[in-house]
Structure formats: C-alpha cells, structure tokens
Amino acid sequence: MKRGFFKRFAAAAMSAAMLLGMTTAAAPAKVTAAPDAYHDDWLHVEKGKVVDMNGNEVWMTGVNWFGYNVGSQIFDGAWSANVHHCLELISDHGFNLLRVPMSTQILLQWKNGEPDPMIKLNEYENPELTVEGVVGGKPMYSFDIWNQVVAWCREEGIKIMMDVHCATTNSAGHNYALWYDQNYSEDDWLEALAWFADYYKDDDTIIAIDLKNEPHGKKDDGIFAKWDGSSDDNNWRYGAEKGAKACLDQNPNLLIMVEGIEVYPKIEKGFDWNSPSTDYAHYGDPNYEPFYGAWWGANFRGVRDFPVDLGEHQSQLVYSPHDYGPMVWEQTWFHLEGEKPNFTSYKFDEESLLEEYWYDTWAYLVEENMYPLLMGEWGGWTDDEHDPSGANRHWMKVLRDYMIKKHIHHTFWCFNENSSDTGGLMYDNFQKWDDVKYEFVKPALWQTNDGKFISLDHAIPLGDNGISLSEYYSTAPTPTDPPEPTDPKPTEPVTDAPTDPKPTEPVTDKPTEPQPTPDTGATLLGDVDVSGKVDILDVITLNKSLMIGEKLTDQGKVNADVDLSGGAPDEIDSLNILKCVVEIIDLPA
C-alpha cells in the first residue's frame, strides 16, 4: 500500500513539474522542507558507536551503485533496467544505505547548471525520468534525475552516502592517487563538497559524505597520498580536515567518512615519507621493506599519532577502510599457493588476518573502541566459475563474520553487475538478482530476529519487508549476541541467522504533529479540495496551486493551512498532508 501510494504521488508531482515547463538544462528549485520532517534521522558518534538523535545505536548496512562517476550521468544499468524498480530491489532486500560514487566534475556541473554531455538512459524502461513523462521521451537533466532518485530513496526508507570517487569524471578516474588532479583543484573539490552539503542540508535522506575514494600511491609513483602532521599538499589527513570543514560548515549534522591511504613508513626502522618505495639493495628481505602496505584507502596506521581533528564536530567522524579478497589481488596475507584464477589453497582465517594485516591497519580502531568503522567497499565473486577454489568465498565469510561480530558498518561492492573484478548483485544486463551472492551477504544486514529489515529512518519502513527505526526501538526485544555463522555451500543459499546490533534501551519518539488552536475557520484541516475527506487528491490540489498557480477556494486555503501558521499554504503544509495520508502523523481535528 505504501509503495503503490508513493508511486502515484511521484507521478502526480512529476506531472505538475512538467506543467511548469521543466527543461533538461535547468536545475530544479530547492524545496523548503518542513522544520521537523527531514531533521530527525541525522546520526552522530557516541563512545565509539554511531547512534541516532535519541542515543540508540544504529547499524548502517548498505550497498554501492556506481555510474555517476564514470560518465553515464546516472546509475549504470539505467540503459536497460528501470531505476525505480532497482531501488525497490535494494530496499526490499534490506540494504538501508546507498553509497553513490560521484566526481568533483559532475557536482560542479550541477552547481553551475552546465548541460549533460550525455545520459545513458533507456527512455522506454524509464518513462518517469523523461521530460514528457512518457515512454520514449527525452531524458531529464541529470540533476533532475538525481533528485528524483533521492525522493525515491526517501520513500523506500533508504539513506544515501555520496562518495567523491574521483576528481574528473572517468571510469578510470579512481586510479588517480589524490583528491585533486590536473583538471580539478583542491579548491574545486572543496567548492563541490560545500555546495552539495548546503543543497541537501534540510533533507536527512542524505546522511553522509565520503570525502574521497581510496587515496593511495607510493613515493616512487611520483604522486602519492601520505598521512602525517604536516600541512603538505598531499597530506590526506590535512586534506580530509579541510574537506570535512567544507561540508560541516554547511551542515553540521552530516556523518563524514574519511578513508585511509595505501602505505605508511616503517618509522621504527628509520624509514620516512622520503624513503623509496623499495630498498633494492635488500630486495626481498622483509626487514628492509620501507613501508607497510595495504589496499588503496585502507591504511589507518597514521591515526594513532595523527588523528583527524574535526574540532567541535568530532562526533561526526567515521573512518572508512576498504577490504577485498584474493580475486582482486593476491596479497601476501592470504598465503595463497598457485596462480589466478586457479588457487590451489588458502591459509588465512580471522586470527591470521588480524595478526598480519587487519589489526594494525584498521581493525584496532574498533577493537580498542576508538572510532566507529564503515567498510566502504567489500565484496567479490561467489560462484565456481570465477572462484573455483572457494578462496574468495572463504575470505568473504571471514570478513563478513568479523563485521557482524564487531558491528562494523558497511556498504557492499556492489549492486552493479559490471564491476570486472567482483561482479555484483545483478546480472543478465541488470535484469536478474543474484540470489546466491545475496544470501551470502544477507546475514550482515541489520534485521530483527524474525527477519524484518531495519530502516535508518524513524518514520518510513525499509522497503516492503522492513520496519522504521522508531518501530524497532519501540517494539524490539533485547537482542541476543549473533550466532556463529556457518560456511555456505558455494552454490547454495547461506542460512546464517540474522542478527541485530546491541542497542540501548528502546526509546519511543515524541510526536511532532502540529497542535490545534481554537477558531481556525477550517471545516476539515487537510481537505484542500473541500470534498469532505483528506486524501491524495488534496496533496495534488495543493501542489498544483503551489507549482502552477491553480487557485484554491477560500475555504480550501483555510483547510490547507495544517501547520496553523496563519499564512498562505506552502510546501510544509503539503508535506504534512502527505504524511497524514500515508498514516505517519495525524492532523489536528
């Protein structure tokens, strides 16, 4: 019922927008949100945990979907699949956070209202994303499409984390080591971050910004990201503090994700950032390796001595490593024998991974309860064709179970099928859902003991098989420790029991509905069309009045002033009527 209603409402809103003469080259006007409508879902950090406004612990368990960063001007897969349906698949399968890679370039394009170079959109599969709203119509401007996606995520109970994946829009843009390049400077990056944070500061659908994907590089590469106490141009810690300030000056409620770097010097052995990447005089001798290595963006060794300082907004900081298995690269800590893709053995488990790599690289931050972690990327192949030995599945299970045990937040890589070294949750040109891979991931999604997925939204349930955050904390029994997961068979669904993080005591949100005052003159608050009842037609009638100037009756105007402000009806009234229709709030009698 909820999903059907919102689809009809979205269609009505789009029709009204078209009557205003929306074009493909004009960014939409910002809508003023109700004072409390989109301001109760912001998150922050307390005592090493991410919590909501009531201090209740939450668990962000999401998925990545790329495309905006590579030049598609929209999610990849929109060339064949319906974007709205894909978002429904994501919410129905229990992913409560969507990490969306973008670029500095596309953010500045939207800020400046520059035209799209192209849009990879199948207009026949996505009529809702055309200017005319019909099959085969002309694609809307990419920023209009993005804002429609934000609205759909809101309806589905999905929260969004924007990730600056690269400076210049390019499918290989992430290979550049720094957060700026020859096309877009650090100042451009800061401008893009500040604009994005400001634009959505009244909409808690977008709860987090990942400042830069995978800073990396080594000394001998010429361009590399380091982490120390300096103010050097390539010091990522210093850059991250500037990026965070650009965001938090506009919206102090955002969670700020800071990724790591690639290498860190073995200072105890006399090496520093000026040391060559390899000591060729002692090549092959681990005692003379100048740097500790890691995956790109995963090395947080520098945090012990040089933590990111966000000043008064320190409670908004989350560190975000990435971790991958042997199918992406045959790292030494996997102890593999043989060559890709036919691994003959693997000799790693949680204990060995913690000892040799995880603990000192990133896991100490959560093991010592210093900072919360969000694993921004993890994933890989789960089928016999790509992973004949099962080594990659073995690694996925070890990391998955560790994240469950430590309640590490995460966004799975990825929804896309076109990630060459990992695959995704979709296949067959984005037409089919990979049930086997999903069953592997499912135990690490936030859900109740009876399998209800938990939204990060206090009012809106997650998809058609979920509950809202308020519902969870007002009804949920005290969760138990997660059971020990078991190894899934490579070709069969995983049967691990779902688990919940350990929350604090349930808190019931206080209502925020507008309160009545005597003698309003209204015959029925919310009854804009004066039909004797409050329904979706009242929302449409008011929106048409606001958007295209269609006149209301005198009584309709009085009835529309549901927040009892005494002024002309506005977007706040429209939103409150909508919330009444979908039974989120009650209007005054």
Side-chain angles (χ1 to χ4, degrees), residues 11-21 540 543-544 547-548:
M14 184 170 294
S15 297
M18 288 190 298
L19 289 172
L20 284 175
I540 295 172
N543 283 350
K544 289 170 71 175
M547 299 176 74
I548 62 176

Side-chain angles (χ1 to χ4, degrees), residues 63-66 76 86-87 89-90 98 412-418 423-427 430 433:
V63 67
N64 288 266
W65 189 2
F66 63 80
D76 275 3
C86 288
L87 292 171
L89 284 174
I90 289 170
L98 185 64
F412 183 75
W413 188 272
C414 54
F415 179 77
N416 305 60
E417 68 176 88
N418 56 323
L425 290 167
M426 299 294 287
Y427 67 99
F430 287 83
W433 182 266

Side-chain angles (χ1 to χ4, degrees), residues 383-416:
D383 60 280
D384 290 333
E385 177 184 355
H386 293 92
D387 184 28
S389 73
N392 208 66
R393 279 164 284 191
H394 176 70
W395 166 82
M396 284 181 67
K397 179 185 181 297
V398 175
L399 180 62
R400 182 203 65 187
D401 295 352
Y402 181 70
M403 291 193 301
I404 292 173
K405 182 167 67 174
K406 295 297 179 181
H407 302 305
I408 294 173
H409 309 272
H410 60 88
T411 46
F412 183 75
W413 188 272
C414 54
F415 179 77
N416 305 60

Side-chain angles (χ1 to χ4, degrees), residues 410-444:
H410 60 88
T411 46
F412 183 75
W413 188 272
C414 54
F415 179 77
N416 305 60
E417 68 176 88
N418 56 323
S419 176
S420 60
D421 49 9
T422 65
L425 290 167
M426 299 294 287
Y427 67 99
D428 196 16
N429 203 16
F430 287 83
Q431 299 299 308
K432 296 179 181 177
W433 182 266
D434 190 333
D435 289 318
V436 173
K437 179 174 285 191
Y438 170 67
E439 290 299 326
F440 212 124
V441 178
K442 185 179 179 181

